[in-house]
Amino acid sequence: MTQQELTVGQVMVKAVMSVDLNSNVKDCAKAMAKRGVSCAVIIRSGGAIGIVTERDLVSKVLADAIDPTKVIVRDIMSTPLITISPNATVTEASAQMAEYRVRRLVVVDRTGAMVGIVTTGDIAHSLAEKHGYREATFNAMAR
């Protein structure tokens, strides 16, 4: 890691929205909309076990006209949860996102406890900021 390279811990969002494994999809979607977030981490017994994204809501519930009050998040969540350390670099996070074809990584500490989430948008925003918003590509991705 170069001295100037950003770490996941520097760009991640610490306030992660989470919902219980047995919540219904409607309640999850309402909570996501209220907080203005694109995903919710699914929790069982205090530990993160999966993630529900806007894409999951659209492709697994809305597209099939299923009543969201009758679907439980555990039935549509993406698992296994892809995680990363806050000490990893944004380059490592980007490589992991590309490898697993995901846009979000849950950030966990050495004990496995969730400490944040990092998205492609978070990385793009931090790079745009680092480059003084002079790089058009980063600005476009950071929206």
Side-chain angles (χ1 to χ4, degrees), residues 50-115:
I51 192 166
V52 170
T53 67
E54 291 171 324
R55 180 176 283 184
D56 293 324
L57 297 174
V58 170
S59 66
K60 298 175 182 176
V61 181
L62 299 175
D64 293 329
I66 300 172
D67 182 349
T69 63
K70 296 186 178 173
V71 180
I72 305 302
V73 293
R74 73 170 170 251
D75 296 330
I76 68 160
M77 70 181 180
S78 297
T79 60
L81 196 60
I82 310 299
T83 63
I84 196 162
S85 163
N87 299 320
T89 65
V90 295
T91 300
E92 292 167 330
S94 298
Q96 193 169 344
M97 289 173 174
E99 177 183 349
Y100 290 101
R101 299 181 58 130
V102 297
R103 295 183 183 119
R104 300 158 189 86
L105 298 171
V106 173
V107 185
V108 296
D109 65 15
R110 285 186 217 142
T111 68
M114 180 171 61
V115 296

Side-chain angles (χ1 to χ4, degrees), residues 7 18 50 119 139 141:
T7 66
S18 61
T119 69
N139 288 328
M141 293 186 311

